[in-house]
Amino acid sequence: MSRLRWVAVGCLVLVVLAVVGVALFGPLLAGAPEQIVGLPYSGPSPASPLGTDNSGRDVLDRVLAGGRPLVVVPVVATVLATLLGLLLGLAGGYFAGVVDTVVSRLDYVLLGLPPVLILLVLLHGWGYSATTMTAVVVLTGTPFVSRVTRAETLRAVEDGYVVAAYATGDSHLSVIFREILPNIIRPVLADFGTRLAIAVTLTAAAGFLGFGSGGPNWGAMISENVEGIRLTPWGVAVPAVLLGVMTVAANLGIDRLVGRVLR
């Protein structure tokens, strides 16, 4: 049974690497994703293995070219949200008082706003861009990271090793980054997978809702081709499956990885 489990894990890893590889390196292999190569919603053919989309463009070329924004932007934005939330949570949990009150109020305000509302407001106000999507992910993810970090910090400041650091005259920065941070980093990193999965979903949702720079995007492809799904399903099915694998992998894969590395 253990052997079968390792085989299953190995297959899952290969699938995830394949999806990430398509997203990152697919644009190098894509032909001309904006070129019209046939009639709309044409079926698969030797020239277009996955058929054509609603405008007669090659689905395979657009799949290859449409994944990179859904990897690069969510990863960068989630890293920024995690770093910012980590700093805010450490400050609030360690210094308490006015600092904790300000951080907590800011968290409550952002947590009270639905992520989709933040997404729509910023997209309508600033337009679709990597900067806008990064801002959406940072605003929606930071308060969650901050709350997790604050809770762990409040627990850590009561532990003996922190009290001992105080007694030896260590500075606040030394206590925070040398004593507290290494002991609370695991739950924060474990939460990173969830934040990344949500970031991928929000970035794909922007394309699905019709926002975009005009280039290929897996989320936008689902929205564009859903009307012709009975004629040729590949323009919807392929990007949907790739998005699903990427989202699940971001959540479960990183959680497992953190667990093994920090065990």
PDB file of all heavy atoms in Angstrom, residues 156-182:
ATOM      1  N   ALA A 156       3.838  33.208  21.756  1.00  0.00           N
ATOM      2  CA  ALA A 156       5.290  33.070  21.883  1.00  0.00           C
ATOM      3  C   ALA A 156       5.891  34.013  22.926  1.00  0.00           C
ATOM      4  O   ALA A 156       6.863  33.658  23.590  1.00  0.00           O
ATOM      5  CB  ALA A 156       5.948  33.314  20.522  1.00  0.00           C
ATOM      6  N   VAL A 157       5.337  35.218  23.072  1.00  0.00           N
ATOM      7  CA  VAL A 157       5.941  36.189  23.999  1.00  0.00           C
ATOM      8  C   VAL A 157       5.849  35.747  25.451  1.00  0.00           C
ATOM      9  O   VAL A 157       6.563  36.276  26.318  1.00  0.00           O
ATOM     10  CB  VAL A 157       5.283  37.588  23.846  1.00  0.00           C
ATOM     11  CG1 VAL A 157       5.577  38.183  22.488  1.00  0.00           C
ATOM     12  CG2 VAL A 157       3.787  37.517  24.104  1.00  0.00           C
ATOM     13  N   GLU A 158       5.005  34.756  25.733  1.00  0.00           N
ATOM     14  CA  GLU A 158       4.886  34.248  27.096  1.00  0.00           C
ATOM     15  C   GLU A 158       5.812  33.073  27.362  1.00  0.00           C
ATOM     16  O   GLU A 158       5.911  32.611  28.501  1.00  0.00           O
ATOM     17  CB  GLU A 158       3.430  33.812  27.359  1.00  0.00           C
ATOM     18  CG  GLU A 158       2.393  34.910  27.156  1.00  0.00           C
ATOM     19  CD  GLU A 158       2.564  36.048  28.153  1.00  0.00           C
ATOM     20  OE1 GLU A 158       3.077  35.777  29.267  1.00  0.00           O
ATOM     21  OE2 GLU A 158       2.202  37.191  27.818  1.00  0.00           O
ATOM     22  N   ASP A 159       6.485  32.582  26.340  1.00  0.00           N
ATOM     23  CA  ASP A 159       7.348  31.417  26.512  1.00  0.00           C
ATOM     24  C   ASP A 159       8.655  31.788  27.207  1.00  0.00           C
ATOM     25  O   ASP A 159       9.109  32.935  27.167  1.00  0.00           O
ATOM     26  CB  ASP A 159       7.649  30.765  25.161  1.00  0.00           C
ATOM     27  CG  ASP A 159       6.429  30.065  24.582  1.00  0.00           C
ATOM     28  OD1 ASP A 159       5.483  29.827  25.351  1.00  0.00           O
ATOM     29  OD2 ASP A 159       6.422  29.763  23.371  1.00  0.00           O
ATOM     30  N   GLY A 160       9.286  30.781  27.780  1.00  0.00           N
ATOM     31  CA  GLY A 160      10.476  31.007  28.573  1.00  0.00           C
ATOM     32  C   GLY A 160      11.659  31.543  27.796  1.00  0.00           C
ATOM     33  O   GLY A 160      12.417  32.385  28.299  1.00  0.00           O
ATOM     34  N   TYR A 161      11.825  31.092  26.549  1.00  0.00           N
ATOM     35  CA  TYR A 161      12.986  31.539  25.781  1.00  0.00           C
ATOM     36  C   TYR A 161      12.905  33.033  25.461  1.00  0.00           C
ATOM     37  O   TYR A 161      13.930  33.719  25.346  1.00  0.00           O
ATOM     38  CB  TYR A 161      13.156  30.713  24.509  1.00  0.00           C
ATOM     39  CG  TYR A 161      12.007  30.814  23.531  1.00  0.00           C
ATOM     40  CD1 TYR A 161      11.973  31.806  22.559  1.00  0.00           C
ATOM     41  CD2 TYR A 161      10.971  29.898  23.568  1.00  0.00           C
ATOM     42  CE1 TYR A 161      10.929  31.901  21.660  1.00  0.00           C
ATOM     43  CE2 TYR A 161       9.923  29.971  22.667  1.00  0.00           C
ATOM     44  CZ  TYR A 161       9.899  30.970  21.718  1.00  0.00           C
ATOM     45  OH  TYR A 161       8.863  31.062  20.825  1.00  0.00           O
ATOM     46  N   VAL A 162      11.702  33.564  25.299  1.00  0.00           N
ATOM     47  CA  VAL A 162      11.557  34.999  25.054  1.00  0.00           C
ATOM     48  C   VAL A 162      11.826  35.778  26.337  1.00  0.00           C
ATOM     49  O   VAL A 162      12.492  36.830  26.323  1.00  0.00           O
ATOM     50  CB  VAL A 162      10.150  35.313  24.511  1.00  0.00           C
ATOM     51  CG1 VAL A 162       9.960  36.821  24.361  1.00  0.00           C
ATOM     52  CG2 VAL A 162       9.929  34.624  23.175  1.00  0.00           C
ATOM     53  N   VAL A 163      11.316  35.283  27.445  1.00  0.00           N
ATOM     54  CA  VAL A 163      11.567  35.932  28.730  1.00  0.00           C
ATOM     55  C   VAL A 163      13.065  35.949  29.025  1.00  0.00           C
ATOM     56  O   VAL A 163      13.617  36.947  29.524  1.00  0.00           O
ATOM     57  CB  VAL A 163      10.809  35.204  29.862  1.00  0.00           C
ATOM     58  CG1 VAL A 163      11.163  35.804  31.221  1.00  0.00           C
ATOM     59  CG2 VAL A 163       9.306  35.272  29.619  1.00  0.00           C
ATOM     60  N   ALA A 164      13.754  34.842  28.703  1.00  0.00           N
ATOM     61  CA  ALA A 164      15.198  34.781  28.921  1.00  0.00           C
ATOM     62  C   ALA A 164      15.933  35.798  28.055  1.00  0.00           C
ATOM     63  O   ALA A 164      16.912  36.415  28.488  1.00  0.00           O
ATOM     64  CB  ALA A 164      15.704  33.373  28.626  1.00  0.00           C
ATOM     65  N   ALA A 165      15.451  35.988  26.828  1.00  0.00           N
ATOM     66  CA  ALA A 165      16.067  36.975  25.935  1.00  0.00           C
ATOM     67  C   ALA A 165      15.904  38.383  26.497  1.00  0.00           C
ATOM     68  O   ALA A 165      16.817  39.206  26.410  1.00  0.00           O
ATOM     69  CB  ALA A 165      15.449  36.873  24.538  1.00  0.00           C
ATOM     70  N   TYR A 166      14.713  38.644  27.063  1.00  0.00           N
ATOM     71  CA  TYR A 166      14.518  39.943  27.716  1.00  0.00           C
ATOM     72  C   TYR A 166      15.534  40.128  28.844  1.00  0.00           C
ATOM     73  O   TYR A 166      16.133  41.198  29.014  1.00  0.00           O
ATOM     74  CB  TYR A 166      13.108  40.036  28.319  1.00  0.00           C
ATOM     75  CG  TYR A 166      12.000  40.228  27.319  1.00  0.00           C
ATOM     76  CD1 TYR A 166      10.814  39.500  27.419  1.00  0.00           C
ATOM     77  CD2 TYR A 166      12.107  41.146  26.286  1.00  0.00           C
ATOM     78  CE1 TYR A 166       9.787  39.660  26.518  1.00  0.00           C
ATOM     79  CE2 TYR A 166      11.074  41.320  25.376  1.00  0.00           C
ATOM     80  CZ  TYR A 166       9.923  40.576  25.496  1.00  0.00           C
ATOM     81  OH  TYR A 166       8.919  40.751  24.598  1.00  0.00           O
ATOM     82  N   ALA A 167      15.700  39.081  29.630  1.00  0.00           N
ATOM     83  CA  ALA A 167      16.556  39.176  30.812  1.00  0.00           C
ATOM     84  C   ALA A 167      18.010  39.454  30.454  1.00  0.00           C
ATOM     85  O   ALA A 167      18.739  40.094  31.225  1.00  0.00           O
ATOM     86  CB  ALA A 167      16.459  37.892  31.634  1.00  0.00           C
ATOM     87  N   THR A 168      18.445  38.977  29.292  1.00  0.00           N
ATOM     88  CA  THR A 168      19.832  39.203  28.868  1.00  0.00           C
ATOM     89  C   THR A 168      20.021  40.556  28.196  1.00  0.00           C
ATOM     90  O   THR A 168      21.136  40.898  27.790  1.00  0.00           O
ATOM     91  CB  THR A 168      20.280  38.088  27.898  1.00  0.00           C
ATOM     92  OG1 THR A 168      19.410  38.082  26.758  1.00  0.00           O
ATOM     93  CG2 THR A 168      20.243  36.733  28.575  1.00  0.00           C
ATOM     94  N   GLY A 169      18.937  41.324  28.047  1.00  0.00           N
ATOM     95  CA  GLY A 169      19.050  42.672  27.489  1.00  0.00           C
ATOM     96  C   GLY A 169      19.027  42.748  25.983  1.00  0.00           C
ATOM     97  O   GLY A 169      19.460  43.755  25.407  1.00  0.00           O
ATOM     98  N   ASP A 170      18.516  41.715  25.320  1.00  0.00           N
ATOM     99  CA  ASP A 170      18.422  41.753  23.853  1.00  0.00           C
ATOM    100  C   ASP A 170      17.464  42.859  23.408  1.00  0.00           C
ATOM    101  O   ASP A 170      16.485  43.175  24.098  1.00  0.00           O
ATOM    102  CB  ASP A 170      17.926  40.410  23.307  1.00  0.00           C
ATOM    103  CG  ASP A 170      18.982  39.319  23.428  1.00  0.00           C
ATOM    104  OD1 ASP A 170      20.126  39.643  23.792  1.00  0.00           O
ATOM    105  OD2 ASP A 170      18.644  38.146  23.147  1.00  0.00           O
ATOM    106  N   SER A 171      17.726  43.439  22.243  1.00  0.00           N
ATOM    107  CA  SER A 171      16.866  44.495  21.705  1.00  0.00           C
ATOM    108  C   SER A 171      15.548  43.902  21.220  1.00  0.00           C
ATOM    109  O   SER A 171      15.410  42.686  21.046  1.00  0.00           O
ATOM    110  CB  SER A 171      17.570  45.208  20.547  1.00  0.00           C
ATOM    111  OG  SER A 171      17.751  44.313  19.460  1.00  0.00           O
ATOM    112  N   HIS A 172      14.590  44.790  20.993  1.00  0.00           N
ATOM    113  CA  HIS A 172      13.301  44.331  20.487  1.00  0.00           C
ATOM    114  C   HIS A 172      13.452  43.606  19.155  1.00  0.00           C
ATOM    115  O   HIS A 172      12.833  42.550  18.934  1.00  0.00           O
ATOM    116  CB  HIS A 172      12.351  45.526  20.328  1.00  0.00           C
ATOM    117  CG  HIS A 172      11.914  46.134  21.619  1.00  0.00           C
ATOM    118  ND1 HIS A 172      11.414  45.393  22.654  1.00  0.00           N
ATOM    119  CD2 HIS A 172      11.911  47.427  22.038  1.00  0.00           C
ATOM    120  CE1 HIS A 172      11.106  46.184  23.666  1.00  0.00           C
ATOM    121  NE2 HIS A 172      11.402  47.435  23.318  1.00  0.00           N
ATOM    122  N   LEU A 173      14.224  44.181  18.245  1.00  0.00           N
ATOM    123  CA  LEU A 173      14.407  43.546  16.933  1.00  0.00           C
ATOM    124  C   LEU A 173      15.053  42.175  17.072  1.00  0.00           C
ATOM    125  O   LEU A 173      14.689  41.229  16.353  1.00  0.00           O
ATOM    126  CB  LEU A 173      15.252  44.441  16.027  1.00  0.00           C
ATOM    127  CG  LEU A 173      14.589  45.722  15.524  1.00  0.00           C
ATOM    128  CD1 LEU A 173      15.561  46.519  14.657  1.00  0.00           C
ATOM    129  CD2 LEU A 173      13.338  45.392  14.719  1.00  0.00           C
ATOM    130  N   SER A 174      16.004  42.047  17.974  1.00  0.00           N
ATOM    131  CA  SER A 174      16.661  40.763  18.186  1.00  0.00           C
ATOM    132  C   SER A 174      15.679  39.730  18.721  1.00  0.00           C
ATOM    133  O   SER A 174      15.662  38.575  18.257  1.00  0.00           O
ATOM    134  CB  SER A 174      17.834  40.929  19.158  1.00  0.00           C
ATOM    135  OG  SER A 174      18.447  39.684  19.419  1.00  0.00           O
ATOM    136  N   VAL A 175      14.861  40.137  19.671  1.00  0.00           N
ATOM    137  CA  VAL A 175      13.880  39.209  20.233  1.00  0.00           C
ATOM    138  C   VAL A 175      12.873  38.773  19.175  1.00  0.00           C
ATOM    139  O   VAL A 175      12.522  37.585  19.065  1.00  0.00           O
ATOM    140  CB  VAL A 175      13.158  39.859  21.426  1.00  0.00           C
ATOM    141  CG1 VAL A 175      12.005  38.970  21.907  1.00  0.00           C
ATOM    142  CG2 VAL A 175      14.131  40.116  22.558  1.00  0.00           C
ATOM    143  N   ILE A 176      12.423  39.736  18.373  1.00  0.00           N
ATOM    144  CA  ILE A 176      11.401  39.432  17.357  1.00  0.00           C
ATOM    145  C   ILE A 176      11.942  38.492  16.285  1.00  0.00           C
ATOM    146  O   ILE A 176      11.325  37.466  15.972  1.00  0.00           O
ATOM    147  CB  ILE A 176      10.874  40.732  16.720  1.00  0.00           C
ATOM    148  CG1 ILE A 176      10.048  41.530  17.730  1.00  0.00           C
ATOM    149  CG2 ILE A 176      10.035  40.426  15.483  1.00  0.00           C
ATOM    150  CD1 ILE A 176       9.616  42.894  17.236  1.00  0.00           C
ATOM    151  N   PHE A 177      13.092  38.850  15.712  1.00  0.00           N
ATOM    152  CA  PHE A 177      13.570  38.125  14.539  1.00  0.00           C
ATOM    153  C   PHE A 177      14.464  36.929  14.857  1.00  0.00           C
ATOM    154  O   PHE A 177      14.624  36.042  14.017  1.00  0.00           O
ATOM    155  CB  PHE A 177      14.309  39.089  13.601  1.00  0.00           C
ATOM    156  CG  PHE A 177      13.406  40.085  12.942  1.00  0.00           C
ATOM    157  CD1 PHE A 177      13.374  41.408  13.349  1.00  0.00           C
ATOM    158  CD2 PHE A 177      12.553  39.687  11.930  1.00  0.00           C
ATOM    159  CE1 PHE A 177      12.527  42.319  12.749  1.00  0.00           C
ATOM    160  CE2 PHE A 177      11.697  40.592  11.324  1.00  0.00           C
ATOM    161  CZ  PHE A 177      11.681  41.908  11.738  1.00  0.00           C
ATOM    162  N   ARG A 178      15.019  36.868  16.071  1.00  0.00           N
ATOM    163  CA  ARG A 178      15.879  35.743  16.421  1.00  0.00           C
ATOM    164  C   ARG A 178      15.196  34.737  17.345  1.00  0.00           C
ATOM    165  O   ARG A 178      15.540  33.552  17.328  1.00  0.00           O
ATOM    166  CB  ARG A 178      17.163  36.245  17.090  1.00  0.00           C
ATOM    167  CG  ARG A 178      18.051  37.071  16.172  1.00  0.00           C
ATOM    168  CD  ARG A 178      19.315  37.525  16.878  1.00  0.00           C
ATOM    169  NE  ARG A 178      20.114  36.396  17.340  1.00  0.00           N
ATOM    170  CZ  ARG A 178      21.240  36.518  18.050  1.00  0.00           C
ATOM    171  NH1 ARG A 178      21.683  37.727  18.392  1.00  0.00           N
ATOM    172  NH2 ARG A 178      21.905  35.452  18.433  1.00  0.00           N
ATOM    173  N   GLU A 179      14.226  35.201  18.104  1.00  0.00           N
ATOM    174  CA  GLU A 179      13.583  34.302  19.062  1.00  0.00           C
ATOM    175  C   GLU A 179      12.152  33.946  18.657  1.00  0.00           C
ATOM    176  O   GLU A 179      11.777  32.774  18.658  1.00  0.00           O
ATOM    177  CB  GLU A 179      13.573  34.955  20.465  1.00  0.00           C
ATOM    178  CG  GLU A 179      14.941  35.379  20.979  1.00  0.00           C
ATOM    179  CD  GLU A 179      15.868  34.200  21.199  1.00  0.00           C
ATOM    180  OE1 GLU A 179      15.378  33.065  21.360  1.00  0.00           O
ATOM    181  OE2 GLU A 179      17.100  34.400  21.204  1.00  0.00           O
ATOM    182  N   ILE A 180      11.361  34.961  18.326  1.00  0.00           N
ATOM    183  CA  ILE A 180       9.940  34.709  18.053  1.00  0.00           C
ATOM    184  C   ILE A 180       9.718  34.194  16.641  1.00  0.00           C
ATOM    185  O   ILE A 180       9.051  33.161  16.445  1.00  0.00           O
ATOM    186  CB  ILE A 180       9.118  35.996  18.297  1.00  0.00           C
ATOM    187  CG1 ILE A 180       9.186  36.389  19.776  1.00  0.00           C
ATOM    188  CG2 ILE A 180       7.666  35.792  17.867  1.00  0.00           C
ATOM    189  CD1 ILE A 180       8.452  37.676  20.105  1.00  0.00           C
ATOM    190  N   LEU A 181      10.247  34.881  15.638  1.00  0.00           N
ATOM    191  CA  LEU A 181       9.967  34.533  14.244  1.00  0.00           C
ATOM    192  C   LEU A 181      10.285  33.083  13.908  1.00  0.00           C
ATOM    193  O   LEU A 181       9.447  32.402  13.287  1.00  0.00           O
ATOM    194  CB  LEU A 181      10.716  35.490  13.311  1.00  0.00           C
ATOM    195  CG  LEU A 181      10.501  35.270  11.809  1.00  0.00           C
ATOM    196  CD1 LEU A 181       9.019  35.395  11.465  1.00  0.00           C
ATOM    197  CD2 LEU A 181      11.316  36.280  11.003  1.00  0.00           C
ATOM    198  N   PRO A 182      11.457  32.550  14.260  1.00  0.00           N
ATOM    199  CA  PRO A 182      11.737  31.148  13.907  1.00  0.00           C
ATOM    200  C   PRO A 182      10.750  30.156  14.525  1.00  0.00           C
ATOM    201  O   PRO A 182      10.566  29.053  13.990  1.00  0.00           O
ATOM    202  CB  PRO A 182      13.152  30.916  14.466  1.00  0.00           C
ATOM    203  CG  PRO A 182      13.765  32.275  14.540  1.00  0.00           C
ATOM    204  CD  PRO A 182      12.628  33.186  14.904  1.00  0.00           C
TER     205      PRO A 182
END
